[in-house]
Amino acid sequence: NCQHVIPSLKEWDQKYRDQGLVMIGNHYPEFSFEEDLANLTAAVAEYGIEYAVAQDNDGATWQAYKNQYWPTLYLIDKQGHLRYVHIGEGNYKETEKNIEALLAEE
């Protein structure tokens, strides 16, 4: 399911990067073959992902956010506070409105 959100993530990265959006993908493998860095690197290249992607094989970041679902999108404001969470696919317009609102804040 995470693959289905990649087009929107790439679009937002390209559209808002110059306005201050910093995208970071967190790759927590669901299957053992996904733990291999070479496989992750190949997938990032195949999908044309230009934003940072962290490999979270031990699930430290996943657990820190108490995440349980693939995909989950988090928006964190300029002060480092979690401001928006969306679980699953969809709600792309709502997520983008929240990106724009956070970028507009001082």
Side-chain angles (χ1 to χ4, degrees), residues 1 5 15 20 29 35 49-51 58 65-66 80 95 99 104:
N1 291 344
V5 301
K15 186 174 181 180
E35 295 177 4
I49 296 171
E50 296 180 3
Y51 52 86
D58 63 0
Y65 283 90
K66 297 177 176 59
T95 300
I99 290 170

Side-chain angles (χ1 to χ4, degrees), residues 43-56:
V44 167
E46 177 184 339
Y47 286 101
I49 296 171
E50 296 180 3
Y51 52 86
V53 177
Q55 187 168 16
D56 189 23

Side-chain angles (χ1 to χ4, degrees), residues 1 8 15 17 20 24 50 72-73 77 79 91 95 98:
N1 291 344
S8 293
K15 186 174 181 180
R17 180 183 292 207
I24 303 171
E50 296 180 3
T72 301
L73 305 178
D77 68 18
Q79 288 73 41
N91 282 351
T95 300
N98 278 275

Side-chain angles (χ1 to χ4, degrees), residues 65-100:
Y65 283 90
K66 297 177 176 59
N67 196 6
Q68 298 179 23
Y69 308 101
W70 287 276
T72 301
L73 305 178
Y74 297 95
L75 297 182
I76 300 169
D77 68 18
K78 296 172 186 176
Q79 288 73 41
H81 299 108
L82 180 60
R83 298 280 296 277
Y84 174 84
V85 178
H86 177 72
I87 296 169
E89 300 173 48
N91 282 351
Y92 299 113
K93 289 181 182 180
E94 177 186 337
T95 300
E96 186 167 10
K97 286 181 183 180
N98 278 275
I99 290 170
E100 291 171 345

